[in-house]
């Protein structure tokens, strides 16, 4: 087992005037407490505690300060450097991460303000770190110290996270396992045995059906409740439906990794998400967005769960993986969703299961050497147009008394 550590970067999305002010207050109180404890020459946590206890800060920030000040004092820190901006540090018990895939901005962080008061803020993660967020959200990665800071009027929140991964000795022969993520079967996996024959396909059909039902229930119910103006109900109902979907995705992704784990030197081969999005043929943008959400979430879960077992994940260009014949490579067609028909009369394949055919093509593409270990992603998947923006609620009702401003500079006490 190896422990990986990464600092997860989240940009807080345009806090409104009220939240911006609260963040500024936290920053100022923290800076004041830091300077006071430093100037009081605190070299132990107890000494630091006696100073920082008087400041209007959350216990999580005070606890972080108690550890930090003696470290500063022990180092070669110059007192005038104290006037530089310091990120507000929090111990890991305070901040929380939440995921609401039904919203335009999907991720939220809970930031402690002072005792009994915290702020929930929508946040844009670094898209490269999606698997870390999934792991953290599922409790499969551990949250460490967090830091809040602003740069050029934009607020950021950093989370130090750790998770365990296994290292596997790689052997000469590898087993590429094609993973096709779809609608009918949520996931289909298949690989070829040492003689090259397709073997042990596995399909998650029931789970695909269940996810479709939950998604439909969500759309129908949301529309009806919104017509009645029941926003609060929409939100809590939506949360519970998405939690159920997330549970299914977690179960399936764990099973896919367990399936791969039984073979020699397995490599999970996925389709590159960027291409999948471009190729998607869905009508309503919301539907498309949520479909995309399923892919992104499953990819991220597969990545971190595979890493836990020391299994590599590669992605390939998905062009024609569902239209080509896995046997002869000729283009075929799909008379229905579940069936692939090869148009080559010389090929022994006439009809084949469409999803298994696709999974085999995906695995084949890895063998032909065109795979890469990271997805080619330019933007991120969480900030698309549309969608409602209702997040978790702050702990005070006065959060509603503001109008939206952005980029207001921090007004700091002299
Ligand atoms: Zn064929």
């Amino acid at each position: 087992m190896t422990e990986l550590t990464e600092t997860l970067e989240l940009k807080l999305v345009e806090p409104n005037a009220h939240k911006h002010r609260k963040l500024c207050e936290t920053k100022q109180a923290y800076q004041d407490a830091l300077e006071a404890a430093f100037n009081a020459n605190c070299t132990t946590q107890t000494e630091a505690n006696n100073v920082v206890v008087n400041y209007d800060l959350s216990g999580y920030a005070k606890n972080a300060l108690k550890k930090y000040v003696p470290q500063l004092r022990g180092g070669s820190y110059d007192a005038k450097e104290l006037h530089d901006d310091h990120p507000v540090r929090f111990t890991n018990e305070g901040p929380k991460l939440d995921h609401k895939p039904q919203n335009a901005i999907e991720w939220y962080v809970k930031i402690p303000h002072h005792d009994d008061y915290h702020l929930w803020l929508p946040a844009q993660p670094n898209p490269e770190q999606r698997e870390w967020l999934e792991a953290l959200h599922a409790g499969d990665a551990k949250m460490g110290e967090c830091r809040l800071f602003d740069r050029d009027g934009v607020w950021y929140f950093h989370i130090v996270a750790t998770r365990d991964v296994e290292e596997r000795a790689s052997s000469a022969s590898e087993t590429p396992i094609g993973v096709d993520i779809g609608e009918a079967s949520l996931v289909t996996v298949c690989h070829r045995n040492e003689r090259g024959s397709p073997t042990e396909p596995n399909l998650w059909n029931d789970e695909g059906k269940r996810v479709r039902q939950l998604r439909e229930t969500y759309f129908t119910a949301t529309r009806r409740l919104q017509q009645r103006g029941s926003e609060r109900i929409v939100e809590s109902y939506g949360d519970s439906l998405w939690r159920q979907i997330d549970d299914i995705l977690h179960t399936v992704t764990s099973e896919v990794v367990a399936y791969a784990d039984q073979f020699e030197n397995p490599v999970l081969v996925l389709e590159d998400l960027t291409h999948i999005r471009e190729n998607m043929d869905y009508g309503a943008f919301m539907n498309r967005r949520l479909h995309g959400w399923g892919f992104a979430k499953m990819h991220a879960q597969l990545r971190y769960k595979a890493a836990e077992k020391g299994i590599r994940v590669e992605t390939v260009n998905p062009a024609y993986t569902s239209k080509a014949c896995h046997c002869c490579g000729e283009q075929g067609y799909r008379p229905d969703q579940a069936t692939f028909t090869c148009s080559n009369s010389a090929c022994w394949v006439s009809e084949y299961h469409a999803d298994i055919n696709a999974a085999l093509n995906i695995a084949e593409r890895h063998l032909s050497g065109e795979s890469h270990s990271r997805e080619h992603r330019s933007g991120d998947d969480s900030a698309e147009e549309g969608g409602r923006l209702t997040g978790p609620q702050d702990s005070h009702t006065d959060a509603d008394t503001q109008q939206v401003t952005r980029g207001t500079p921090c007004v700091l006490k002299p």
Side-chain angles (χ1 to χ4, degrees), residues 202-238:
N202 207 348
L203 291 89
W204 282 264
N205 276 315
D206 292 347
E207 290 82 359
K209 192 176 169 196
R210 186 78 188 117
V211 167
R212 279 201 309 282
Q213 284 170 345
L214 286 166
R215 220 186 259 150
E216 273 165 35
T217 307
Y218 173 76
F219 286 123
T220 320
T222 306
R223 217 171 303 125
R224 204 177 307 134
L225 288 165
Q226 274 170 345
Q227 278 162 6
R228 287 200 245 137
S230 318
E231 289 292 332
R232 278 275 151 264
I233 303 174
V234 171
E235 202 195 331
S236 65
Y237 190 59

Side-chain angles (χ1 to χ4, degrees), residues 325-330 340 342-344 347-349:
C325 172
H326 72 274
C327 183
C328 68
E330 291 275 312
F340 171 82
C342 182
S343 347
N344 176 6
C347 175
W348 70 267
V349 170

Side-chain angles (χ1 to χ4, degrees), residues 8 39 148 167 169 179 199 257 291 320 357-358 370 381 407 413:
L8 311 189
N39 293 334
L148 169 75
E167 280 180 273
V179 181
T199 180
V257 171
H291 198 76
Y320 302 112
N357 181 62
E370 51 171 290
D381 54 282
K413 286 175 280 174

Side-chain angles (χ1 to χ4, degrees), residues 161-394:
T162 50
R163 64 189 167 109
D164 290 328
V165 297
E166 207 171 287
E167 280 180 273
R168 234 178 229 248
S170 64
S171 56
S173 65
E174 57 180 20
T175 313
I177 297 158
V179 181
D180 181 61
I181 298 174
E183 277 278 89
S185 167
L186 190 58
V187 180
T188 304
V189 292
C190 194
H191 71 284
R192 292 170 189 267
N193 64 16
E194 58 281 2
R195 292 181 306 282
S197 311
T199 180
E200 292 183 60
N202 207 348
L203 291 89
W204 282 264
N205 276 315
D206 292 347
E207 290 82 359
K209 192 176 169 196
R210 186 78 188 117
V211 167
R212 279 201 309 282
Q213 284 170 345
L214 286 166
R215 220 186 259 150
E216 273 165 35
T217 307
Y218 173 76
F219 286 123
T220 320
T222 306
R223 217 171 303 125
R224 204 177 307 134
L225 288 165
Q226 274 170 345
Q227 278 162 6
R228 287 200 245 137
S230 318
E231 289 292 332
R232 278 275 151 264
I233 303 174
V234 171
E235 202 195 331
S236 65
Y237 190 59
D239 281 353
S240 97
L241 288 174
W242 290 111
R243 257 197 304 278
Q244 290 178 58
I245 293 178
D246 195 28
D247 284 348
I248 295 170
L249 300 188
H250 270 295
T251 305
V252 172
T253 52
S254 294
E255 286 171 2
V256 169
V257 171
Y259 168 93
D261 202 23
Q262 61 185 315
F263 304 112
E264 194 192 349
N265 197 14
V267 182
L268 282 173
V269 189
L270 312 177
E271 293 180 296
D272 192 301
L273 272 176
T274 334
H275 295 285
I276 288 179
R277 245 184 234 121
E278 285 161 6
N279 292 348
M280 218 126 58
D281 184 23
Y282 275 81
F285 83 87
M286 195 62 178
N287 211 0
R288 189 172 67 236
R289 196 176 87 76
L290 292 169
H291 198 76
W293 165 79
F295 279 112
K297 219 165 158 57
M298 274 193 279
H299 271 219
Q301 291 179 5
L302 285 170
R303 279 186 182 281
Y304 90 76
K305 290 177 188 186
E308 278 178 352
K309 302 273 182 201
I311 297 172
R312 274 196 296 139
V313 175
E314 302 276 347
T315 58
V316 296
N317 184 338
Y320 302 112
T321 49
S322 62
K323 295 183 189 107
C325 172
H326 72 274
C327 183
C328 68
E330 291 275 312
Q331 279 212 37
Y333 60 99
R334 288 166 78 157
D336 57 73
Q337 190 61 30
T339 314
F340 171 82
T341 302
C342 182
S343 347
N344 176 6
S345 55
C347 175
W348 70 267
V349 170
S350 50
E351 284 201 340
Y352 210 83
H353 192 292
D355 292 331
I356 300 173
N357 181 62
L360 287 165
N361 283 332
I362 293 166
E364 192 62 35
R365 208 150 283 189
H366 168 73
L367 288 171
S368 68
E370 51 171 290
S371 57
H372 37 90
S373 60
R374 291 306 312 185
E375 275 163 273
H376 290 166
R377 303 174 63 178
S378 45
D380 63 79
D381 54 282
S382 53
E384 289 183 40
E385 75 288 5
R388 295 171 308 112
L389 187 59
T390 50
Q393 291 304 294
D394 299 332

